[in-house]
Amino acid sequence: MGSGTDQNYWNTHDEGVRVTIVRSQDQAPITTPVDLTNRTLPSTVLHFGKISKLDYTNGAFLTPTTTAYTCVQPAKELPYIIQSDQGQASLEEIKSYFTDELVVRYIAEITGVPYDTLINGNYKILLEPIAYITYQGVKMALTATEVALYDQALNGGLRAKFADLSHKNLPLAMFLETPDLGYPAWSGSTNSRVSNEDILSSLGLGIVRFTETPPPPPVESAADYEYRTNTEVITSVFLSTGRQITPNSPATVTFSLMGSTYTVSGIVIPEGDSQVVWCKWRTPSTPQTVTIQVISSQGVLSQARIQASIVDLDENPPPDPQATDRNDSFILPALPASSAKTSASWGVWSASWHPYWVWISNWVWFGIGNGGGYWVDYGYWKDNGWWDYHWTSYSASLSTQHTIKPSSKTPTASGSTMKSGYGVEIDTTTEVRSNAPSSHLTGAQTAVTMFPEFHYQTYWRLHERMTNGLTATFKLKPNMYSTYQSRSHFTPLWFPDGPYTPDTLIEDVWTPDGMLFLHVSGSVQISGNLYMDWRIAPQK
């Protein structure tokens, strides 16, 4: 356990598995996780709630809870989960256990999901290894993902005490051999210490699926990233090292693209760890493919060559609506399922020297006649200190205020109710909150709306960014078919009575942890059509 003590230790077989049922279609957890263990544990065990790896990946924060810790002892004992000198764990035994029909039936029972529903191919079981450790004299329950998040918060405090458990045997107890639920197959070492970033992205999970063959992997484009034209973006890589990188000889990473170079210097990383390194740049104004070369003076980069596809959304408005348009077979579509990333976290290492002075003796004998004499110590003080590394955590979150309302040129609108054929206005305010310097991120830069009359396909309208920065506002671009050049979208005359719900994507909020984005929507109520506001009468 590295430098473990009677206040910081782990005992062999103090372990368990967190079990969550996940819906395959949208990768959403549908049950509260249940912790299985062979141990009898007190309710006073400190924990962070029953949160799954998927929840943390989607932005959940690591938050200690004062609620009593609960766990279940299965009738059929768990196999050894975490490797140790006194317990030989086997990934094959773990796989065999959790695919046993009796065990699956038991999981269905304790999670409240009917067995026939669980195995119908629409659901998966997410497994996460748990370690029960004593840290600073307190008994704790931690999944591998929670270990990585907690270690980041402690500036490497867990790794310093439990390195072989926290950053090797626990996260490597379970990993994917086939990509699933958005997590990659693990191709790294299975017997070496790993970084927090590796744990968060790829380790400490197993998945039981109930289809005969795994789903095919998504088709990958030739590009590693897709950016919009004329947009400020952040391109990131991870720098890992097997030996410490110190302020005496810091690392330098250089990004080369489009004839320019961006250099990040002064990088320090403790032994066996890693750090995200990034550059912020503006994409060209025309669509193209940009190749980014990355080199480092020390350590190992996650990518040395990046292909970025620059695309132009451009304006793709629907055709000019006509009074004679018909769509008698139209069926109101459901709002499409959408993904989102509204929070990000990353960090940067720094180091300070910890002096430790020791006296180096150099005794010299001075003889005096008749065999007498004396010793003189011509020694010197030497600083045998070391570097203390400190982790500074940063985070960012994206939120919006979104309104859709009848156009100001709609004469008979009442509140949010209007007749079809008139226009709607869409206003969005986005806010990015972060404790990071401005060089670490951007505000929202792009908003695009899809419409229900086209089943949220084919056509879209871009918004114009009215104010920039971490608080940005967006309005629809002026409508070329509007007599008044209003910032509105015309609803089709034939649209049926009921809710009219456009879907707006907010994106291009860039951080070292990737892009933040989300879909927002709102509705107006359609009641009648604009023909009802017109009449024909003879001229007097």
Side-chain angles (χ1 to χ4, degrees), residues 238-279:
F238 278 95
L239 179 64
S240 304
T241 180
R243 59 182 182 85
Q244 65 176 352
I245 301 176
T246 72
N248 284 344
S249 181
T252 298
V253 173
T254 301
F255 297 81
S256 301
L257 59 118
M258 299 180 65
S260 299
T261 59
Y262 302 82
T263 300
V264 184
S265 57
I267 303 168
V268 297
I269 304 175
E271 174 187 350
D273 220 303
S274 63
Q275 180 187 300
V276 66
V277 184
W278 67 92
C279 73

Side-chain angles (χ1 to χ4, degrees), residues 68-141:
Y69 179 71
T70 59
C71 56
V72 176
Q73 292 177 303
K76 181 178 179 179
E77 280 198 352
L78 293 169
Y80 293 157
I81 303 298
I82 303 173
Q83 182 79 13
S84 72
D85 291 341
Q86 301 176 24
Q88 300 304 307
S90 164
L91 192 60
E92 294 305 316
E93 288 184 15
I94 295 172
K95 290 161 64 176
S96 176
Y97 178 90
F98 282 103
T99 54
D100 182 279
E101 180 181 343
L102 291 178
V103 173
V104 174
R105 286 185 179 276
Y106 180 71
I107 289 174
E109 177 185 342
I110 62 175
T111 57
V113 178
Y115 175 75
D116 290 340
T117 300
L118 177 59
I119 66 170
N120 68 9
N122 295 323
Y123 300 91
K124 299 174 183 178
I125 301 176
L126 172 63
L127 308 171
E128 301 178 64
I130 301 171
Y132 299 104
I133 68 171
T134 297
Y135 178 63
Q136 295 183 346
V138 179
K139 191 80 168 181
M140 304 182 69

Side-chain angles (χ1 to χ4, degrees), residues 64 69 103 114 184 188 202 206 214 222 230 235 252 262 281 289 308 338 370 377 389 395 464 472 491-492 513-514 522:
Y69 179 71
V103 173
S202 311
N230 196 28
T235 299
T252 298
Y262 302 82
W281 58 286
T289 298
S338 59
N370 301 321
D377 187 356
Y389 288 85
S395 63
E464 184 175 343
T491 59
D513 188 34

Side-chain angles (χ1 to χ4, degrees), residues 419-422 493-495 497 526-533:
K419 296 179 175 68
S420 65
Y422 290 111
L493 189 65
W494 50 260
F495 200 87
D497 287 357
I526 300 296
S527 179
N529 60 66
L530 63 75
Y531 280 146
M532 300 169 65
D533 292 343

